[in-house]
Amino acid sequence: LRVYVLIILVSNMCLMCLCCCFFFFQAEDGIRDAQESRGLGDVYKRQAYNRKSYCKTASLIDHSLAATAVLADPTNIAYKEAARCYGSNLGVAFQIVDDCLDITGSEGQMGKPKLADMAEGIATLPILLAAQKDPKVDAAVRRRFVQEGDIAISTEAMERHGCVAEALMIADQRCRTAVEGLSK
């Protein structure tokens, strides 16, 4: 009976996480224009990327590890929080690496065309880093790469500024933070 109850609890946590992410993205679309018009564009884009990465990937790892910690010792809140911190950071690092592979990987490796995210109008971390350094890339991001040449300009700027390497360093730091959180 205890196993069934725990399975239900874990399922409810995952469902709750998915619902929260859905409602977040619905609200996010409504406030994006207002925030960008107040001059929060660059900060907002990076924050939105972090939230999207958490909701898309990290939340599942975060909640799964937290549920495992609760199963191991339901009274140890510190254990659960350490597991959540580890899962959250590891999940965001995983998403960053995945986004870098969209730029550097081959279609054979990825199972999808190279630069598929930009083709869909999605600005990933390497692109957002390039946008901070190059106004042409920033404009392409704001247009969601719909203008001819936007993807080429953005790709060239990412290479010139070393944005994939910078993004991978951020992923590495997330991994380090994840591991450090386990020793607290």
Side-chain angles (χ1 to χ4, degrees):
L1 179 63
R2 181 178 175 191
V3 172
Y4 292 117
V5 170
L6 293 173
I7 290 171
I8 291 169
L9 288 173
V10 170
S11 298
N12 286 341
M13 287 175 61
C14 290
L15 180 61
M16 191 168 58
C17 175
L18 290 172
C19 289
C20 288
C21 290
F22 171 78
F23 289 117
F24 164 76
F25 282 118
Q26 294 297 313
E28 179 184 45
D29 287 338
I31 61 173
R32 179 182 299 119
D33 294 335
Q35 286 181 324
E36 286 184 352
S37 68
R38 290 194 309 247
L40 298 175
D42 290 335
V43 171
Y44 175 73
K45 287 185 287 190
R46 183 76 178 272
Q47 288 172 343
Y49 174 83
N50 288 334
R51 283 191 301 263
K52 176 198 65 110
S53 295
Y54 178 80
C55 288
K56 181 178 177 186
T57 306
S59 63
L60 179 60
I61 299 170
D62 168 344
H63 288 76
S64 297
L65 292 177
T68 304
V70 169
L71 290 174
D73 184 355
T75 63
N76 191 338
I77 302 300
Y79 192 47
K80 177 185 144 200
E81 290 307 313
R84 288 195 71 199
C85 177
Y86 180 83
S88 176
N89 281 293
L90 184 66
V92 172
F94 177 90
Q95 187 60 53
I96 292 169
V97 171
D98 182 66
D99 292 342
C100 291
L101 286 172
D102 180 64
I103 296 161
T104 62
S106 69
E107 187 170 343
Q109 291 173 314
M110 299 298 296
K112 64 180 184 178
K114 191 173 181 175
L115 305 174
D117 290 333
M118 278 193 282
E120 292 178 19
I122 298 169
T124 59
L125 184 58
I127 293 291
L128 294 175
L129 294 170
Q132 291 174 342
K133 298 169 172 82
D134 189 320
K136 289 180 182 178
V137 177
D138 185 63
V141 167
R142 291 176 189 276
R143 288 190 296 268
R144 297 183 186 249
F145 312 104
V146 296
Q147 191 171 324
E148 188 174 332
D150 279 351
I151 292 176
I153 289 168
S154 299
T155 303
E156 186 276 325
M158 277 191 302
E159 290 173 10
R160 183 170 18 96
H161 294 293
C163 296
V164 171
E166 184 179 351
L168 290 172
M169 288 189 330
I170 292 169
D172 182 65
Q173 183 55 50
R174 285 288 200 149
C175 289
R176 291 176 193 280
T177 301
V179 172
E180 289 168 5
L182 291 177
S183 63
K184 290 182 181 179

